[in-house]
Amino acid sequence: MAQVYFKTKPDGRAVFDYYYRSNPFNGGYVIFAGLENVLDILENLKFVDSDLEFLEQHGFEQEFLDYLKDFRFHGTIRSSQEGDVVFPNRPILQVEANIIEAQVIETMLLNLLNFQSLIATKANRIRHSAKDATLLDMGLRRAHATGGYYASRAAVIGGFDGTSNVKAAEDFNITASGTMAHSFIQSYGDELQAFRDFAKVRPKNCVLLIDTYNTLRSGLQNAITVAKEMEQEGEQLMGVRLDSGDLAYLAKQTRKILDDANLGYVKIVASNQLDEFVIKSLKDQGAPIDIYGVGTNLVTGKPDAALGGVYKLSEFNDDPRIKLSENIIKVSLPYKKQVYRMLDKAGMFYGADAVAMFTEDTIEQMEHPFDATKHMSLKGFEYEALLQEVMTDGKRISMSRTVTEIAAYSKSRLEKLPEEYKRFQNPHIYKIGLTPQLKKERDILVLKHKF
Amino acid sequence: MAQVYFKTKPDGRAVFDYYYRSNPFNGGYVIFAGLENVLDILENLKFVDSDLEFLEQHGFEQEFLDYLKDFRFHGTIRSSQEGDVVFPNRPILQVEANIIEAQVIETMLLNLLNFQSLIATKANRIRHSAKDATLLDMGLRRAHATGGYYASRAAVIGGFDGTSNVKAAEDFNITASGTMAHSFIQSYGDELQAFRDFAKVRPKNCVLLIDTYNTLRSGLQNAITVAKEMEQEGEQLMGVRLDSGDLAYLAKQTRKILDDANLGYVKIVASNQLDEFVIKSLKDQGAPIDIYGVGTNLVTGKPDAALGGVYKLSEFNDDPRIKLSENIIKVSLPYKKQVYRMLDKAGMFYGADAVAMFTEDTIEQMEHPFDATKHMSLKGFEYEALLQEVMTDGKRISMSRTVTEIAAYSKSRLEKLPEEYKRFQNPHIYKIGLTPQLKKERDILVLKHKF
């Protein structure tokens, strides 16, 4: 496609929208994540010699390869803030650029935004269940190869406290955290000696895994022995970890036995196929778990495993563009647009984002995208313009934000979202409407291309 | 853990087994993939200065950091061949190494083998449905960030013909293949002109996407016009792509209209949320589709999204090691082991792999791992030893194999697996047994650690 554009319309200007069509996990929202990585890549994107040689072998023309040799992204990006709460069928990010540049970046942009938004959303659902408990990402061994690196980043944006992925912790400046494996205890055969050696070498943040042979009769007893020995050395055992069996039952028994041994400060860590539903059940049962280690279900975004975000052309050389579909929800929105979020008098999200043409300056009403009988007056609402320019002509126009800052922003945004949108069963549907002008212009284009 | 080993048993020798406990997708087998990548990494693994600085900031001791500075993997790997058909609860790969080295590589090894084996298996199920049709991976925009790179590799091992992931194609020497996006046609507004320009610039392997406005009334008609124009230039249109609507109906109509226009050579490409079940249904309906483009469901391994492979210590300093569990299937197998595959007289897989102690030299019977009433005589069977040494003291002992070679090997192995193990509904269960000696030794260890 890029070579055809190069030969036929090298100066074409395009506007593309990034958006998705339905919320993952049957949930009520998505946490938008991945933007900073996309901007970093866009600022540095280029074709290296080996890429160009490969393309030459595949029949691309020399003139086009010369163009790629000097390729840089010079476009403008308007976007929701990373960490914001977003909803289906409204632009989340908008690319305005030369059409070749806008096309070349498509797959990278979809790949990073779709995946990180999926995982940040999953992480946030787990955070919702876990309330104030500590949440650790332990998923790298089941993650999708190197994609696990970005899963750990997205997990923190969604509300996790740390990760066992040391490389991600290093690069994204997030908390590294891990515990021991069963093999450590097995290598000793003698569980007590294994615990003693571990506590001696790493007394700080020491968490002992107690289910290798028998949780209550062996692991916990040996952990208590070591905790008492640590006290003699002026140290405190941080926690014991349960990794199998009935976690609710074992956590309650463990808490009681630890408390009876005057070890009320020793925390209980639980892991083993956890997700938002298991953690909610453990909470509902009153399981006294302080720290949850979540792996596979977090980093793979099970069961959805993908967010179906798309990248659709909405304007070309200042003319609107549309894609039709037999499925009405898949008809794209033409024109360069802005999205406005309505706020109630307390500053909370009212539950309505209005999609407008970029040129509109007063937002007074929104209409249902397809149902002609539904509309809502927006008079008197305060609102925010959600798509903010973050890159102009290929250069960032703001400082990059750290993962910690993004996570804090995300938390502050979620606090403005009423609870009924966050529940797992049949969450309230956040309304996305079109201004009357945008809807009218879209319908004109639909009719123009209709057969 | 590594630092504790370094301080307390720096010369410990460990044997670890890589295996998984149940087949993904309710299927009958797994295609083992990722080995070559693991071996490449093991030959080059080291800690760089920034890693060591990060670890130093996290309280690791100087003596241990000095050890890591010179860290190299010096272990021995015995493994099933990459691309082989493998089954649950038997060692697929075995690491014999210094315990620090064996521990440091755990997550990398699990991450790459679990993910690629999952995707190769999914790809192979899709290949099973698609029979001789061409299969293209188009999943990168929904893949788990950079993990998509390995998904494309694993897809080819499982039986796919090519990928839209150009970087993976370049690095793994696999076929790159893509088509146009809706945005290409939208950018013109005029579909016919879009097709004309594309065909003019890229006449070879030209596939036109025909569903942007209306598949049969617009896209197909314009594609036929362009195909006829290409014939005047001595070129042939390769195909038309259907990406929405009822693919069975549209493919049949498209085939008929193309044939009536004397364009029998124009292929039909289909995409849109395909998986092994949709493709099987399309085949069952007689849809004349030549090429399938498969995306999200392939590269995310939906619905499972993960293969639960584990890495368990089975021997330490020549002593057997075991992990118990309240769930009997999660009890690990002690001792360094070998796995033997039984062959029938025609050289086909008989449906039984026997796990033996490494030191056993005659394999005459196998027993069910847990059910004392079940055993099978193996007298008179031909068999293969499946775990072959591929790395000795940190060095590969064989040339690396290309993805194409691995895919061909995988195909040859699958041809030896009887059909009943390949079906999607309740596949025949391939038997995994233990030799009487291994079973006896395991049971002794279970009793020793029992509470």
Side-chain angles (χ1 to χ4, degrees):
Chain A
M1 278 191 286
Q3 180 169 298
V4 181
Y5 287 138
F6 177 76
K7 303 271 283 189
T8 63
K9 47 181 73 171
D11 299 320
R13 293 289 299 175
V15 176
F16 278 86
D17 296 329
Y18 169 71
Y19 63 99
Y20 68 95
R21 296 190 182 110
S22 62
N23 287 318
F25 314 122
N26 294 315
Y29 62 92
V30 154
I31 303 294
F32 173 52
L35 176 63
E36 289 286 340
N37 305 116
V38 167
L39 296 177
D40 283 347
I41 290 171
L42 290 179
E43 280 204 321
N44 297 291
L45 190 64
K46 62 179 180 179
F47 288 80
V48 298
D49 289 347
S50 58
D51 298 332
L52 296 174
E53 280 163 29
F54 181 78
L55 293 175
E56 189 177 1
Q57 288 158 19
H58 283 69
F60 288 89
E61 297 175 15
Q62 194 55 51
E63 203 184 356
F64 179 59
L65 295 171
D66 289 343
Y67 163 82
L68 291 182
K69 194 171 171 159
D70 296 324
F71 181 92
R72 282 284 188 273
F73 180 74
H74 302 95
T76 292
I77 309 273
R78 295 179 196 87
S79 180
S80 287
Q81 299 299 299
E82 183 162 7
D84 200 2
V85 188
V86 296
F87 304 94
N89 295 307
R90 48 142 283 208
I92 297 169
L93 178 146
Q94 181 186 86
V95 175
E96 184 170 2
N98 171 283
I99 194 160
I100 308 174
E101 296 175 24
Q103 186 57 62
V104 163
I105 70 169
E106 172 177 354
T107 301
M108 176 280 291
L109 183 148
L110 287 172
N111 173 277
L112 286 175
L113 299 182
N114 280 336
F115 178 57
Q116 291 197 60
S117 299
L118 178 83
I119 302 306
T121 306
K122 183 73 174 179
N124 193 256
R125 291 165 60 83
I126 296 169
R127 166 52 68 203
H128 190 73
S129 286
K131 299 194 167 70
D132 292 332
T134 298
L135 287 172
L136 302 177
D137 154 36
M138 294 182 168
L140 187 55
R141 70 202 177 122
R142 304 278 168 79
H144 287 194
T146 48
Y149 178 69
Y150 291 101
S152 300
R153 178 183 186 276
V156 172
I157 290 172
F160 269 56
D161 298 290
T163 179
S164 63
N165 183 339
V166 182
K167 182 65 178 158
E170 180 182 344
D171 290 358
F172 299 125
N173 199 19
I174 56 187
T175 303
S177 179
T179 78
M180 62 178 58
H182 295 111
S183 59
F184 182 78
I185 293 128
Q186 288 174 267
S187 77
Y188 283 78
D190 179 339
E191 189 179 52
L192 180 59
Q193 190 59 45
F195 288 177
R196 275 187 177 131
D197 277 9
F198 198 93
K200 194 171 163 194
V201 177
R202 298 286 290 177
K204 304 300 179 198
N205 299 318
C206 178
V207 174
L208 302 173
L209 176 64
I210 62 174
D211 74 329
T212 304
Y213 303 117
N214 186 298
T215 301
L216 297 178
R217 290 187 224 168
S218 174
L220 181 57
Q221 304 307 325
N222 287 327
I224 288 171
T225 301
V226 170
K228 293 293 179 187
E229 291 169 1
M230 288 176 78
E231 287 182 351
Q232 302 301 315
E233 303 292 323
E235 301 283 357
Q236 283 196 334
L237 177 64
M238 178 176 164
V240 294
R241 177 156 75 108
L242 310 170
D243 187 44
S244 59
D246 188 307
L247 295 177
Y249 168 80
L250 290 172
K252 287 176 189 175
Q253 292 292 313
T254 297
R255 183 76 273 154
K256 184 175 184 315
I257 295 166
L258 286 170
D259 289 350
D260 288 350
N262 293 314
L263 293 168
Y265 61 81
V266 175
K267 292 188 163 68
I268 297 178
V269 184
S271 53
N272 191 21
Q273 299 298 324
L274 301 179
D275 65 12
E276 65 268 49
F277 301 105
V278 176
I279 292 175
K280 182 172 191 309
S281 166
L282 288 167
K283 285 277 183 189
D284 289 347
Q285 294 170 79
I289 296 167
D290 305 288
I291 300 170
Y292 295 92
V294 188
T296 310
N297 291 303
L298 168 68
V299 300
T300 64
K302 276 187 86 166
D304 289 37
L307 177 68
V310 295
Y311 184 74
K312 292 292 175 194
L313 183 72
S314 58
E315 219 174 81
F316 183 72
N317 283 342
D318 298 322
D319 282 336
R321 290 292 187 259
I322 198 165
K323 180 198 171 289
L324 302 190
S325 175
E326 292 179 41
N327 185 345
I328 196 168
I329 204 177
K330 292 180 89 171
V331 173
S332 70
L333 285 177
Y335 288 97
K336 183 168 151 187
K337 297 174 288 291
Q338 179 56 281
V339 184
Y340 298 94
R341 177 159 295 174
M342 303 302 136
L343 306 175
D344 71 12
K345 293 202 166 56
M348 296 278 284
F349 299 160
Y350 179 75
D353 285 0
V355 188
M357 295 177 63
F358 201 76
T359 50
E360 292 185 81
D361 50 11
T362 54
I363 308 300
E364 298 192 328
Q365 178 162 322
M366 72 179 207
E367 313 206 359
H368 189 283
F370 309 109
D371 184 339
T373 68
K374 289 185 175 170
H375 48 83
M376 178 190 284
S377 171
L378 302 177
K379 280 179 186 155
F381 276 98
E382 293 288 315
Y383 54 75
E384 303 170 333
L386 296 178
L387 302 183
Q388 298 294 323
E389 199 154 315
V390 292
M391 173 169 276
T392 306
D393 300 337
K395 298 284 168 213
R396 277 167 180 275
I397 58 170
S398 55
M399 290 286 290
S400 63
R401 292 193 300 161
T402 67
V403 172
T404 308
E405 288 167 348
I406 296 166
Y409 174 74
S410 191
K411 190 164 178 241
S412 74
R413 297 295 278 178
L414 274 155
E415 284 166 1
K416 294 175 194 266
L417 183 70
E419 282 303 311
E420 54 264 37
Y421 296 94
K422 300 176 191 168
R423 69 174 180 242
F424 297 159
Q425 278 76 32
N426 297 323
H428 203 53
I429 294 170
Y430 195 101
K431 291 183 178 61
I432 302 293
L434 312 184
T435 60
Q437 189 181 348
L438 177 60
K439 190 176 179 194
K440 190 182 82 186
E441 297 291 347
R442 183 201 63 181
D443 291 346
I444 289 169
L445 270 183
V446 168
L447 289 172
K448 182 178 155 193
H449 286 289
K450 201 99 184 169
F451 281 80
Chain B
M1 279 191 285
Q3 180 169 298
V4 181
Y5 287 138
F6 177 75
K7 303 271 284 188
T8 62
K9 46 181 75 172
D11 299 319
R13 293 288 300 175
V15 177
F16 278 86
D17 297 328
Y18 169 71
Y19 64 99
Y20 68 94
R21 295 191 182 108
S22 62
N23 287 318
F25 314 122
N26 294 313
Y29 62 93
V30 153
I31 303 294
F32 173 52
L35 176 62
E36 290 286 341
N37 305 116
V38 167
L39 296 177
D40 283 347
I41 290 171
L42 289 178
E43 280 204 324
N44 297 292
L45 190 63
K46 62 179 181 179
F47 288 79
V48 297
D49 289 347
S50 58
D51 297 332
L52 297 172
E53 280 163 29
F54 180 79
L55 294 174
E56 189 177 2
Q57 288 159 16
H58 283 70
F60 288 90
E61 297 175 15
Q62 194 55 52
E63 204 183 355
F64 179 60
L65 295 171
D66 289 343
Y67 162 82
L68 290 182
K69 193 172 170 153
D70 297 323
F71 180 92
R72 283 283 187 274
F73 181 74
H74 303 95
T76 292
I77 309 273
R78 296 179 196 86
S79 179
S80 287
Q81 299 299 300
E82 183 163 6
D84 201 2
V85 188
V86 297
F87 304 95
N89 296 307
R90 47 142 283 208
I92 298 169
L93 178 145
Q94 182 185 87
V95 176
E96 184 170 4
N98 172 283
I99 192 161
I100 307 173
E101 296 175 23
Q103 186 58 61
V104 163
I105 70 169
E106 172 177 353
T107 301
M108 177 279 291
L109 183 147
L110 286 172
N111 173 277
L112 286 175
L113 299 183
N114 279 336
F115 177 57
Q116 291 196 60
S117 298
L118 177 82
I119 302 305
T121 306
K122 184 73 175 180
N124 193 257
R125 291 165 61 83
I126 296 169
R127 166 52 67 205
H128 189 73
S129 286
K131 299 194 167 71
D132 292 333
T134 297
L135 286 173
L136 303 177
D137 153 36
M138 293 182 169
L140 186 56
R141 71 201 176 123
R142 303 279 168 79
H144 287 193
T146 48
Y149 178 69
Y150 292 100
S152 300
R153 178 183 186 275
V156 172
I157 290 173
F160 269 57
D161 297 290
T163 179
S164 65
N165 183 338
V166 182
K167 184 64 179 159
E170 179 181 344
D171 290 358
F172 299 125
N173 199 19
I174 56 186
T175 303
S177 180
T179 78
M180 62 178 58
H182 295 112
S183 59
F184 181 78
I185 293 128
Q186 288 174 267
S187 77
Y188 284 78
D190 180 340
E191 190 179 51
L192 180 59
Q193 190 59 43
F195 287 178
R196 275 189 176 129
D197 277 8
F198 198 91
K200 193 171 166 197
V201 177
R202 298 287 290 176
K204 305 298 178 198
N205 300 318
C206 177
V207 174
L208 302 173
L209 176 62
I210 62 175
D211 74 328
T212 303
Y213 302 117
N214 185 300
T215 301
L216 298 178
R217 288 187 226 169
S218 172
L220 181 56
Q221 304 308 326
N222 287 328
I224 288 172
T225 300
V226 170
K228 293 294 180 187
E229 291 170 1
M230 289 175 78
E231 286 182 351
Q232 302 301 316
E233 305 291 323
E235 301 285 356
Q236 282 196 336
L237 177 65
M238 177 175 162
V240 294
R241 177 156 75 107
L242 310 169
D243 188 44
S244 61
D246 189 307
L247 295 177
Y249 168 79
L250 290 173
K252 287 177 190 176
Q253 292 292 316
T254 297
R255 184 75 273 155
K256 185 174 182 316
I257 294 167
L258 286 171
D259 289 350
D260 289 349
N262 293 315
L263 293 168
Y265 61 82
V266 175
K267 292 188 163 67
I268 296 178
V269 184
S271 55
N272 191 21
Q273 300 297 325
L274 301 179
D275 66 11
E276 65 269 48
F277 300 105
V278 176
I279 292 175
K280 183 172 189 309
S281 166
L282 288 167
K283 285 277 183 189
D284 289 347
Q285 295 172 76
I289 296 167
D290 305 286
I291 300 170
Y292 294 92
V294 189
T296 309
N297 291 303
L298 168 68
V299 300
T300 64
K302 276 187 85 165
D304 289 39
L307 177 69
V310 296
Y311 184 75
K312 292 293 174 192
L313 184 71
S314 59
E315 219 174 80
F316 184 72
N317 283 343
D318 298 322
D319 282 336
R321 290 292 187 261
I322 197 165
K323 181 198 172 290
L324 302 189
S325 175
E326 292 180 41
N327 185 345
I328 196 169
I329 204 177
K330 292 180 88 172
V331 173
S332 70
L333 287 176
Y335 288 97
K336 183 169 151 186
K337 297 173 287 293
Q338 179 55 281
V339 184
Y340 297 94
R341 176 159 295 174
M342 303 302 136
L343 306 175
D344 71 12
K345 291 198 168 60
M348 296 277 284
F349 299 160
Y350 179 75
D353 285 1
V355 188
M357 295 177 63
F358 201 77
T359 49
E360 291 184 82
D361 50 12
T362 54
I363 307 301
E364 298 191 329
Q365 178 163 321
M366 74 179 206
E367 313 206 0
H368 189 283
F370 310 110
D371 184 340
T373 68
K374 290 186 175 168
H375 48 82
M376 177 191 283
S377 170
L378 303 177
K379 280 178 186 156
F381 277 98
E382 294 288 315
Y383 54 75
E384 303 170 333
L386 296 178
L387 303 182
Q388 298 294 322
E389 200 155 314
V390 292
M391 175 170 276
T392 306
D393 300 336
K395 299 283 167 214
R396 277 168 181 274
I397 59 170
S398 55
M399 290 286 290
S400 64
R401 291 193 301 159
T402 66
V403 172
T404 308
E405 288 166 348
I406 295 165
Y409 174 74
S410 192
K411 189 165 179 240
S412 74
R413 297 296 278 178
L414 274 156
E415 284 166 1
K416 294 176 194 265
L417 183 69
E419 281 303 311
E420 54 264 38
Y421 296 94
K422 299 176 191 168
R423 69 175 180 241
F424 296 159
Q425 278 75 32
N426 298 322
H428 204 53
I429 295 170
Y430 195 101
K431 291 184 178 60
I432 302 293
L434 312 183
T435 60
Q437 189 181 348
L438 177 60
K439 190 177 180 193
K440 191 182 83 186
E441 298 290 349
R442 182 202 63 181
D443 291 346
I444 288 168
L445 270 184
V446 169
L447 290 172
K448 182 178 157 195
H449 287 288
K450 201 99 186 171
F451 281 80

